[in-house]
Amino acid sequence: MKLLRTPEVATPRAMAGTIAVFYVVGGLAGLLITWGADTRGAQEVALLTLSATAFACAVVVHRWARGWPRWAFHVAISSAVVLIAVAVVLAPDAASALVVAALMSFVVVVGYLFFSLVVGTAYLVGALVAATLALHVQGDVALPTALALQAVVVALGTVTRSLVLRASGASRDPLTDLKNRRGFDQAMQELLATGDDAPLSGALLDLDGFKAVNDTQGHAAGDLVLRQVAEAWTSELPAGAVLARHGGDEFALLLPGLAGTEALALVRGVCARHPELRLSVGVAQHVPGESAAQLMRRADQALYAAKAAGRGRCELEGGDVPQLVSDLAAAVRAGDVHVYFQPIQQLATDSVLGVEALARWNRPGVGPVPPEEFIALAERHHLIGALGEHVLRSATGQLADLYARTGRRLRLGVNVSGLELCDPGYPERVRAILAETGWPAAETVLEVTESLLDAESTEAVCALDTLRAQGIVVAIDDFGTGYSSLSRLDTLPADVLKVDSSFIATITTSPRRAQLLRSIVGLATGLGLDVVAEGVESAEQAALLDTLGCTYGQGWLYGPPAPLAEVVAGLGWSDDAQVSAPQP
Ligand code: C2E
Ligand code: CA
Ligand code: CA
């Protein structure tokens, strides 16, 4: 396959420019020889005609070759071989014949620069044979001298080939043998630079569940899947399409000549023929004047929509995306994003300490959208502020209402996105909502993911300081999923540590993990942090967590996220008939 691969530099533009320059040099050589050597009569006329032909070829190639198909370039190069051979035969003396024969090195350089190894070598052999025959017919050059020239030409060809390979290695992905991101960007720039009116579409392909393959079956299995995608898709794509490994488990695709809907139909067809590859794909059509980065950003948005709509799908940007986003915006405005609550339990006493508020969205006509997906969508489309406010207002309103009717208070955890925290108005908005619903700051826990704080965003840390000064409690969420730094537990503005469910899942089977958790709990409690274990699913886990010194737990063992009325009923408070269904 590598023997037949065309080097990356072989764009029509580069080929046209290089061949035109070589024709000009050939024409100049002819003129100088005619001028300097002792030529006359028919020989002089013939040499001048050859030079003029070379100049004319240079003009034609320079002016029109950018739009030529590849075979037309072969015509241009083969014509050069013939012109050079004829000029060698007509050369007036040995020196002139050698100079003209040396022009064959141009043919060899062009062959290796712009064509595969096989085609480049065919040009090398053709050029050597033509030059040797022509020198023989011309008759002034001794065979060893001719051979010396051929050796120089062969060396030039070899050096060109190795430089081309080296240059293209920098834009290839060694695992899949596709272009890498750099190669893809180059190809895209070339396509955009042609400036023709033909449509162009870009797509991003993302493997669903790739992380799970890597985690459960090992990296070799992951590598195999990546290679399978590369092979299957390469064999299915039309000529001119560019497929690249964009990084990790993401591939990028350029489809010149295809409008968005045609590109969508094509990728849907390929996905349907390879269901084993489980991909989500986002497609976008290039809009005139748009940069490469803008096009791929829109393809990425479509990819997001494809994932949010349930993965394993192909979506066109500008297709369902605005619909999905406007559906979410409408749901946030109308209060159709509901809040479920999941109990947080005190392990030792088995009594409930509080609840975590979790957003739920049932997209009309589609069904429930996973929170991770619509939260990410809200973050991308500037809806997260409104969504977060709605969840906080709804959750504090419902719990304040419960307190007013039953006299019972549950501590409330609410998730906060990093984008909200970085908004300078956020602490004030939280204060206003709590004032509006009458819910105490001391019973409000804002859950912030560890990875956000890893980023050491100063705005976020400042906002947390302000919120804590208002009496609000801050929890570090999903601890153990990022680059957990134990020493930073001391410096983070937090009161509670929520250890991620992926960590808890292994404590009963891995004594080392259990020991690690014991140390984390010891360290955290020593620093005055409460520890909540997330994802507690079995009584065995709960018992072990208790012995490890962990105080609180949350998970299906104690109850799934549910509407407040159900959670309250589960707590045995249901005798209070006034507890009502949640108001959005
Ligand atoms: P999170 O904050 O880590 O929320 C806990 C997640 O664990 C919830 O997923 C919950 O349903 C799930 N879970 C509960 N018990 C168990 C268990 O025993 N085992 C396992 N394996 N999982 C359990 P959910 O509701 O799908 O929420 C996913 C994430 O979406 C949340 O993760 C949070 O980061 C985000 N999210 C949810 N609601 C909001 C919100 O209102 N605002 C923001 N910014 N993010 C939210
Ligand atoms: Ca949380
Ligand atoms: Ca969590």
Side-chain angles (χ1 to χ4, degrees), residues 339-343 356 358 360 398 559-568 582:
V339 180
Y340 273 29
F341 297 86
Q342 185 174 34
E356 174 175 357
L358 291 159
R360 293 287 178 268
Q398 290 185 54
L564 186 61
E566 278 176 36
V567 176
V568 169

Side-chain angles (χ1 to χ4, degrees), residues 253-279:
L253 175 64
L254 275 182
L255 294 164
L258 295 194
T261 46
E262 297 164 318
L264 182 68
L266 182 121
V267 296
R268 281 194 172 148
V270 181
C271 284
R273 285 190 290 283
H274 297 277
E276 75 285 358
L277 294 177
R278 292 177 44 228
L279 286 160

Side-chain angles (χ1 to χ4, degrees), residues 179-188 244 246 252-254 296:
K179 285 180 198 295
N180 58 17
R181 187 183 274 257
R182 176 182 155 153
F184 182 80
D185 290 345
Q186 280 168 354
M188 169 104 91
H246 218 224
L253 175 64
L254 275 182
M296 295 322 285

Side-chain angles (χ1 to χ4, degrees), residues 356 358 414-415 447 477-478 498 534 554:
E356 174 175 357
L358 291 159
V414 178
N415 293 288
E447 300 191 1
D477 204 356
D478 304 342
K498 296 191 78 175
E534 296 190 290
Q554 175 184 356

Side-chain angles (χ1 to χ4, degrees), residues 81-311:
V81 174
V82 173
L83 277 183
I84 296 168
V86 174
V88 170
V89 172
L90 293 175
D93 50 51
S96 312
L98 276 176
V99 168
V100 180
L103 293 173
M104 286 295 186
S105 54
F106 290 172
V107 172
V108 175
V109 168
V110 166
Y112 279 129
L113 203 53
F114 297 135
F115 299 96
S116 65
L117 179 62
V118 171
V119 176
T121 307
Y123 273 121
L124 174 73
V125 173
L128 291 183
V129 170
T132 311
L133 284 178
L135 286 172
H136 178 72
V137 174
Q138 197 273 344
D140 288 345
V141 179
L143 184 64
T145 313
L147 289 180
L149 174 70
Q150 316 297 36
V152 171
V153 173
V154 170
L156 256 177
T158 315
V159 169
T160 308
R161 175 71 193 168
S162 81
L163 287 178
V164 160
L165 277 186
R166 207 173 262 248
S168 69
S171 40
R172 289 251 146 212
D173 169 48
L175 178 69
T176 57
D177 201 36
L178 297 175
K179 285 180 198 295
N180 58 17
R181 187 183 274 257
R182 176 182 155 153
F184 182 80
D185 290 345
Q186 280 168 354
M188 169 104 91
Q189 294 302 349
E190 286 289 342
L191 275 172
L192 293 182
T194 58
D196 62 14
D197 296 335
L200 167 70
S201 291
L204 283 176
L205 292 63
D206 192 85
L207 273 162
D208 297 332
F210 181 71
K211 190 173 172 304
V213 173
N214 255 346
D215 289 351
T216 57
Q217 298 170 41
H219 286 271
D223 287 354
L224 183 66
V225 173
L226 293 172
R227 277 200 294 266
Q228 283 170 340
V229 172
E231 269 167 38
W233 277 72
T234 309
S235 66
E236 294 263 10
L237 291 174
V242 179
L243 179 67
R245 177 154 173 234
H246 218 224
D249 61 340
E250 196 169 87
F251 293 81
L253 175 64
L254 275 182
L255 294 164
L258 295 194
T261 46
E262 297 164 318
L264 182 68
L266 182 121
V267 296
R268 281 194 172 148
V270 181
C271 284
R273 285 190 290 283
H274 297 277
E276 75 285 358
L277 294 177
R278 292 177 44 228
L279 286 160
S280 297
V281 186
V283 180
Q285 178 175 352
H286 182 252
V287 181
E290 186 180 47
S291 72
Q294 285 167 327
L295 170 66
M296 295 322 285
R297 204 170 306 129
R298 287 191 300 109
D300 195 31
Q301 283 169 7
L303 175 62
Y304 238 85
K307 290 185 188 168
R311 297 181 187 265

